[in-house]
Amino acid sequence: MAESITVARPYTKAAFETALAQGDLGSWSEFLNMAAAVVADDSLALVLDNPELTAAQKAQLVTDVVNGSHPVSQQAQNFLNLLAENKRLSLLPEVSNLYETLKANQEQSVDVSIVSAFDLGSEQQDKLAQALNAMLSREINITSTTDASLLGGVIVHAGDLVIDGSVKGKLGKLAEAMNA
């Protein structure tokens, strides 16, 4: 996995710099997400693995599928052609993920996932967003889910940062400390 991310970085950087120069980070984000979904689809992956198809045909196949729901610019088509020529279309999911990280850094925002034992009201989400904004100095985009097995509290995922304030997590740490 680390190797594919390493190989994907220069392609991601090229896509990001192109999008930034065009002032079109959002459109490239949508394009990369769609293209990543296309190459990740099992049935299309089998077609893309066909050695009888040329690189141009593979790039065109991805373009045609993506074009059905999102118009593909000439620069995006060139990007797909480059990936196909270098036999790197399978890197599109990694490119898309790395691109989203670069985009979030550029926009000074972070996507935060909150898992709580109970449904959080909008007031509670706002308070969490304000606290995280102060802590991370970024605009916070929250998505929340519930997991009754937490018993109480929340688990916050913000990029690489994980804050486990759940009762289940605290009980686990207590049990670990007692067994040590």
Side-chain angles (χ1 to χ4, degrees), residues 58-82:
K58 291 177 183 182
Q60 189 60 50
L61 174 65
V62 174
T63 300
D64 290 344
V65 175
V66 171
N67 219 6
S69 59
H70 182 275
V72 177
S73 69
Q74 185 59 48
Q75 291 85 3
Q77 176 67 50
N78 293 344
F79 182 72
L80 286 176
N81 287 333
L82 178 67

Side-chain angles (χ1 to χ4, degrees), residues 20-176:
L20 195 59
Q22 294 174 343
D24 203 5
L25 293 175
S27 182
W28 271 83
S29 177
E30 291 174 25
F31 159 70
L32 289 172
N33 283 327
M34 292 293 299
V38 168
V39 300
D41 181 79
D42 292 336
S43 59
L44 284 171
L46 287 173
V47 174
L48 291 171
D49 286 340
N50 183 346
E52 293 181 16
L53 290 178
T54 66
Q57 290 172 320
K58 291 177 183 182
Q60 189 60 50
L61 174 65
V62 174
T63 300
D64 290 344
V65 175
V66 171
N67 219 6
S69 59
H70 182 275
V72 177
S73 69
Q74 185 59 48
Q75 291 85 3
Q77 176 67 50
N78 293 344
F79 182 72
L80 286 176
N81 287 333
L82 178 67
L83 288 172
E85 287 171 13
N86 293 321
K87 297 179 175 31
R88 301 286 193 225
L89 282 173
S90 63
L91 292 177
L92 276 165
E94 285 89 354
V95 169
S96 179
N97 289 336
L98 291 170
Y99 180 90
E100 290 303 320
T101 301
L102 291 174
K103 181 177 175 264
N105 285 338
Q106 179 70 26
E107 295 173 342
Q108 293 292 304
S109 67
V110 65
D111 292 330
V112 176
S113 169
I114 298 176
V115 181
S116 62
F118 305 98
D119 286 332
L120 296 177
S122 61
E123 184 178 319
Q124 292 169 315
Q125 286 187 19
D126 290 343
K127 285 183 182 180
L128 278 169
Q130 289 173 358
L132 289 168
N133 181 300
M135 183 175 144
L136 301 173
S137 301
R138 297 191 179 274
E139 180 183 327
I140 307 298
N141 305 315
I142 291 183
T143 58
S144 65
T145 57
T146 58
D147 180 358
S149 72
L150 296 180
L151 304 175
V154 297
I155 299 174
V156 178
H157 296 271
D160 292 341
L161 175 68
V162 177
I163 303 169
D164 188 349
S166 68
V167 173
K168 181 180 179 180
K170 289 179 182 181
L171 288 173
K173 288 179 188 174
L174 179 62
E176 186 178 305

